[in-house]
Structure formats: structure tokens, C-alpha cells
Amino acid sequence: MMIRSVFGTAVAALVAVGGLSSPASSEPLKAEVIHWWTSAGESAALKVFANAFNGAGGEWIDNAIAGGLAARQAAIGRIVAGDPPAANQFNISREFEDLIAKDLLADLEARATADRWREAIPETLLKSGERNGKMYALPTNVHGQNWIWYNKAVLDQAGAAPPKGWGEDMFAALDKVKAAGKIPLAISGTPVYEYSVFHSILLDIAGPDVWYAIHRDRDEAALKGDALRKAFQTFQRLHTYADEGTPGRVWNAATQLVITGRAAFTAVGDWAKGEFIAAKMTPGKDYGCVLPKGVIIVGGDVFVFPKQKDPQKQAAQDLLVKVMFDKKVQKDFNALKGSVPSRTDVDMADADACSQTAMTALRNKTGNVQRASMMVPPQVDGELRDLVSEFWNNPSMSVDEAMERYAELVLG
């Protein structure tokens, strides 16, 4: 039996967010939220959602699980077992398609229509949560995955200039930092982040057309072309600039090396900015950000809302969706998270230079591309990630072998 839309019974219980009415019941609308935002910057940002929800008459029940994979697995297990949370986090990807196919997620179309999501959310982002003309996920924030971050003082002391991307100017800066005795490049030595760095390099070298030719169109010529080859060669070249502590290092530990001035650069999505903010550092003064070619790989987070039978839980979900998409909440949350709002109608005039760059790319149709996981099946994305990690960690693997295997995985 189809469970009613979350929104069919929720309207009467909505409360004062953006002009909504007061709750019909004095009891708070409880909502358990599973997520993996546990770092300092992430936790600070999450409180914006929680405080707004509580202030609107809800009761946020926090269920933080460290690690995205662990959090997703825990949430999926609960949903399949019939004990779903009110909401849980996913990355912008195709990872929740099975839950939609099994009719386990609430249809958000009524709320999306009422709040004009399609007018406010970029098309690239809408596609992540839309299936068969209906919305099943709320994009809460847009992260660019292909940023480079640097400590300005370390570069100044080394006499290095900030690069524009992954070209020779980057290697000139890395050489100077290395000669000055600092760690040139602090990256996370985990498969997810090794994959992310590789894709940052690939997009910079290939450009959007070849990026799409490789991952969306599965174009054999592109998969055997110079751009993919040069990307693997550049990625391989970076090895001599990474420190011995790289294997297994998590992304925020890599970012801390830059924050504390032990390293010059890191390459991670713009959630790193939340760590700089938490460390009271100022963009342009204490640290810098580089978006290669000004093109952003659109990533970020969505929340899905598993179907509930209890009308009170449905009402709590509707309130939660409303709160999380509110303009002010979006602005405040993303300012701390390091991302930009999922809606383009938020006033960003007072945002910092990094956010301004990201928003410009997002508003420009040629300034943003879908991440690979939005174009290839989850299994293929995982296999590509493992291949890139193997290439990074196995010096005996040749560029030719890496290219051949990358093409085989994409072509299927």
C-alpha cells in the first residue's frame, strides 16, 4: 500500500519558519536525523539546522555517525528494517536510487512545488534528487569538490606564488615550498580523497566537454585521449610532493597541516573552508582558495526522508524540509559549512571571495559539471575510485595500464 505523501497530513502542524503558521500541538515534532558531519566546521554548521528546527517547534534528535559510508549503511539498514529515521544524509549521487525504486522514500514533490524548488535550484543539482518527475531528495548545500587550498604565510615565506590550477605554476610553487622545508602538499590518503584529487586534475586538464565525454557519453576516443593520460601523469608526479604521513590520513587532518602552517597546499572540497573558519582564519589574508579554470565539480549533500506511517512523524519531516530550505537558514548554514546554498536566490553579496567564486560558477551553465558519481552507476564509481587509489599507492602501475582499466570500467 502506498503510504501517503509526507505533506498530506503535515500542513496543520507547520510552524513559524518563513511565515508558516504555529503548531497545532504543543508537543514538539521530533525528528531523528542521521548524518556524518562530525568535524569542528561541520558540527558548527549542523547546529544551524538543529537550532532552526528546534526554534520552529521541532525537536532535533541528533544521530551523528563518523564516516559517510558508515552513516549511509546505518541509515539504509534502519530503513530496510522498518525503523527509519526522519531524515538521513547522502552525497549528491545515485546512491539512493534503490530506496526510491523500493518505494521507501517520501515523495517531496508537493513541498518542492509549493516552495518553487525548480525556480531556485540549478538544474545540475535538481537532477540529483529528481526521479520520474518527482523530487525525492532535498539538496542542502553545494560543494565544489575540486578546490585547492593554501596557507598564504607559507607561500610568502617560500617565495612562491599561488597557482591557478594543476599546471606548471603549481609545480613551481611546490618546488619552492619543498626547498623551504615545509610539506608542499598535504592530502588525504584515503581512496575517496585520492579519487577527488585525481578528478580535480582531470577536469582542469580536460575541460567540461571532455569530462562529460569520458563519464556521461562513455566516448572511447576521449577515454584513450591525451587529457586522461596527462591527468594520470600529473597525478603521479604529485607523489614526490606528498609527505610520508599521507597513507590513511583523513581530509580534516590534511587541512589542519595547512592551517597550522606545516604544509602549503591541500586539495579537498570546499568543506575544508569550515575548518579554516573554525580556526578563525580569513580568506585572502590567512589562506587562499583556487578553483582550477573556474569550473566547479558539483557535489554536496542531500537529505532524504524515509516514508513514515505516523502522521506526527510525517509532520516533523515536512517541518524539517521547510526549515532546511529556508533562505536565511541556507545562508547561515553554508557560511559555516564552507559550501554555497543549494538555492541561487540567496543574497550572497557579503560572502567571502571563495564563496563568490563558487556561486559565480554555479550560476553559469558552463561553470559547473556533474560529479562522476552522478553519471556512472554506484558500482562503477566505486571501482573507478579503487583503481585511482591503487594507481596512487602502487608505483609499479603504469599510466597505460591505469588508462586501459579506467576505460574498461567506464565502458562496462
Side-chain angles (χ1 to χ4, degrees):
M1 181 180 71
M2 289 289 291
I3 300 172
R4 289 176 300 172
S5 164
V6 166
F7 310 103
T9 58
V11 175
L14 291 177
V15 290
V17 172
L20 293 178
S21 59
S22 297
S25 169
S26 59
E27 291 294 320
L29 295 170
K30 297 181 180 180
E32 180 193 4
V33 182
I34 294 180
H35 63 90
W36 60 82
W37 286 330
T38 56
S39 76
E42 291 169 336
S43 297
L46 186 76
K47 287 180 181 177
V48 173
F49 281 154
N51 291 340
F53 183 66
N54 292 339
E59 181 179 335
W60 179 283
I61 300 174
D62 197 70
N63 190 350
I65 299 174
L69 179 60
R72 290 191 292 274
Q73 289 177 336
I76 291 171
R78 291 267 306 272
I79 294 168
V80 173
D83 179 30
N88 61 276
Q89 181 185 2
F90 276 97
N91 286 130
I92 292 174
S93 66
R94 297 171 59 180
E95 293 174 331
F96 46 92
E97 284 186 339
D98 283 349
L99 295 176
I100 297 172
K102 292 175 180 174
D103 199 26
L104 293 171
L105 297 185
D107 164 11
L108 307 181
E109 187 56 32
R111 174 57 58 201
T113 300
D115 289 347
R116 299 181 175 180
W117 290 11
R118 288 180 176 78
E119 296 177 22
I121 300 176
E123 184 179 353
T124 301
L125 207 56
L126 276 173
K127 290 178 180 176
S128 68
E130 188 178 39
R131 301 291 184 278
N132 302 318
K134 294 182 178 179
M135 295 300 302
Y136 289 93
L138 170 66
T140 53
N141 51 297
V142 181
H143 276 303
Q145 297 196 316
N146 50 323
W147 289 88
I148 301 167
W149 306 88
Y150 60 87
N151 183 306
K152 193 171 182 304
V154 173
L155 259 61
D156 290 345
Q157 290 164 11
K164 294 181 178 179
W166 294 104
E168 291 305 318
D169 56 345
M170 166 59 91
F171 287 97
L174 291 171
D175 283 334
K176 288 189 175 182
V177 173
K178 190 174 185 178
K182 299 280 188 177
I183 299 171
L185 178 64
I187 64 172
S188 168
T190 61
V192 169
Y193 286 91
E194 293 158 350
Y195 190 43
S196 177
V197 173
F198 174 72
H199 277 173
S200 176
I201 296 167
L202 177 58
L203 178 62
D204 186 26
I205 292 171
D209 289 345
V210 176
W211 172 264
Y212 278 126
I214 290 173
H215 297 109
R216 182 191 63 195
D217 305 334
R218 299 190 298 170
D219 182 272
E220 194 165 348
L223 285 161
K224 295 180 179 178
D226 292 340
L228 188 60
R229 175 175 298 281
K230 189 174 180 182
F232 273 115
Q233 291 171 337
T234 302
F235 189 47
Q236 190 176 53
R237 190 177 169 190
L238 287 177
H239 232 298
T240 58
Y241 300 97
D243 65 302
E244 294 180 351
T246 300
R249 179 192 288 145
V250 295
W251 70 269
N252 45 326
T255 306
Q256 284 298 321
L257 288 174
V258 176
I259 288 173
T260 57
R262 294 177 59 196
F265 294 99
T266 189
V268 65
D270 53 15
W271 46 94
K273 199 174 77 174
E275 305 305 300
F276 287 104
I277 293 171
K280 311 296 183 187
M281 296 178 77
T282 304
K285 176 185 174 185
D286 303 312
Y287 70 95
C289 55
V290 179
L291 183 64
K293 298 276 173 55
V295 180
I296 198 169
I297 297 177
V298 173
D301 302 281
V302 300
F303 278 81
V304 299
F305 302 83
K307 285 189 170 180
Q308 306 282 343
K309 295 179 180 178
D310 184 341
Q312 283 292 102
K313 292 183 178 179
Q314 294 176 358
Q317 286 182 313
D318 193 29
L319 177 60
L320 194 55
V321 174
K322 186 78 178 176
V323 166
M324 295 171 94
F325 197 60
D326 176 79
K327 278 187 182 180
K328 185 176 186 308
V329 173
Q330 277 270 307
K331 183 173 184 177
D332 293 347
F333 166 81
N334 283 286
L336 293 174
K337 186 67 170 62
S339 46
V340 296
S342 59
R343 52 191 304 169
T344 57
D345 56 352
V346 174
D347 182 6
M348 298 290 287
D350 57 351
D352 63 54
C354 301
S355 293
Q356 294 278 7
T357 298
M359 190 56 87
T360 298
L362 192 63
R363 288 171 173 164
N364 181 354
K365 285 190 175 180
T366 62
N368 57 87
V369 297
Q370 292 180 312
R371 58 188 292 189
S373 62
M374 296 169 71
M375 297 181 279
V376 301
Q379 181 179 343
V380 173
D381 188 56
E383 291 170 341
L384 291 173
R385 180 190 61 218
D386 291 345
L387 167 62
V388 169
S389 180
E390 183 183 348
F391 177 75
W392 174 259
N393 291 289
N394 180 7
S396 66
M397 184 186 291
S398 69
V399 169
D400 284 341
E401 180 184 351
M403 285 186 66
E404 183 178 350
R405 288 173 58 185
Y406 201 96
E408 287 176 354
L409 290 170
V410 172
L411 293 171

